[in-house]
């Protein structure tokens, strides 16, 4: 009975230490790429986006830190989430109301943007490869890349209110816009 008591105490202590270590590591990574939330409301439409915002820090971003032709978690840490309370039309395709993870496939001239129905714990696996399961994609849309005249130091996602709400990704000298109808 004494051995079981000590075994449980040791296991409990290890679990508490493991949990605390995980939270400390999570806090450290969030300092380098802080979490942000975008809230867009127009009439009855509500869009919420949660993502982590890495910094450029003098690095080559697209074609370097974020390689071309490789799926990107679209930010840092956990995958970016996109929630809409209404059905949207994106690139001529219907995106049902719901919560999705956002993934992108950057190319030099265009990006593919994927809305994926699966929620993932982390944006990459142990090999540094994006966690996205393509079988869970609800839709994909291809959009052109726009060059910005000035560098933007921190990755930013926004929803701009043009003729239609537009999902916008900007970082370094790159801007990508996805119209949402």
């Amino acid at each position: 009975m004494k051995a079981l008591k000590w075994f449980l105490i040791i296991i409990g202590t290890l679990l508490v230490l493991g949990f605390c270590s995980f939270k400390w590591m999570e806090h450290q990574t969030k300092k380098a790429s802080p979490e942000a939330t975008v809230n867009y409301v127009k009439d009855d439409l509500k869009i919420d986006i949660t993502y982590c915002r890495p910094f450029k820090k003098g690095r080559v971003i697209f074609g370097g830190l974020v390689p071309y032709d490789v799926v990107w978690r679209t930010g840092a840490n956990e995958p970016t989430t996109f929630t809409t309370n209404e059905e949207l039309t994106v690139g001529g395709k219907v995106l049902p109301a719901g919560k999705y993870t956002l993934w992108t496939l950057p190319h030099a001239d265009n990006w593919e943007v994927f809305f994926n129905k699966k929620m993932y714990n982390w944006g990459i696996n142990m090999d540094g490869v994006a966690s996205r399961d393509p079988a869970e994609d609800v839709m994909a849309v291809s959009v052109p890349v726009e060059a910005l005249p000035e560098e933007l130091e921190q990755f930013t996602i926004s929803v701009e209110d043009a003729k239609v709400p537009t999902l916008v990704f900007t970082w370094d000298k790159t801007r990508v816009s996805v119209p949402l109808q």
Side-chain angles (χ1 to χ4, degrees):
M1 196 60 151
K2 216 175 200 181
L4 177 62
K5 179 180 173 183
W6 279 106
F7 176 76
L8 292 175
I9 289 172
I10 290 170
I11 293 298
T13 302
L14 289 174
L15 287 173
V16 168
L17 286 173
F19 178 77
C20 291
S21 296
F22 173 77
K23 286 298 182 184
W24 180 81
M25 286 173 32
E26 183 179 55
H27 174 72
Q28 292 302 99
T29 60
K30 296 285 178 149
K31 283 195 314 189
S33 300
E35 191 170 88
T37 303
V38 175
N39 302 107
Y40 174 85
V41 178
K42 184 172 185 181
D43 300 324
D44 293 331
L45 175 63
K46 293 182 180 94
I47 297 172
D48 296 310
I49 303 166
T50 303
Y51 70 110
C52 290
R53 302 183 64 204
F55 290 88
K56 180 174 169 55
K57 298 181 186 173
R59 301 175 287 190
V60 173
I61 300 302
F62 298 107
L65 177 67
V66 177
Y68 288 129
D69 309 321
V70 176
V71 173
W72 179 40
R73 61 183 153 182
T74 316
N77 306 324
E78 302 90 355
T80 294
T81 60
F82 177 96
T83 307
T84 177
N85 70 326
E86 291 187 359
E87 180 179 277
L88 298 171
T89 302
V90 184
K93 302 170 193 168
V94 174
L95 178 69
K99 184 175 182 178
Y100 304 94
T101 50
L102 268 179
W103 304 84
T104 51
L105 181 58
H107 304 289
D109 297 330
N110 71 312
W111 282 20
E112 294 173 58
V113 180
F114 303 96
F115 293 83
N116 188 286
K117 63 185 172 187
K118 185 174 177 184
M119 296 298 121
Y120 303 83
N121 290 332
W122 203 248
I124 57 175
N125 64 23
M126 297 301 274
D127 297 324
V129 176
S131 301
R132 172 183 155 256
D133 177 0
E136 300 292 330
D137 289 345
V138 174
M139 73 166 358
V141 61
S142 182
V143 289
V145 169
E146 305 165 51
L148 295 174
E150 295 183 23
E151 279 185 6
L152 184 63
E153 175 65 21
Q154 193 174 18
F155 177 62
T156 303
I157 298 176
S158 59
V159 178
E160 295 180 359
D161 202 12
K163 290 180 184 175
V164 297
T166 303
L167 175 63
V168 179
F169 306 100
T170 51
W171 197 14
D172 194 14
K173 288 190 164 195
T174 299
R175 175 185 165 99
V176 175
S177 302
V178 183
L180 309 170
Q181 298 179 352

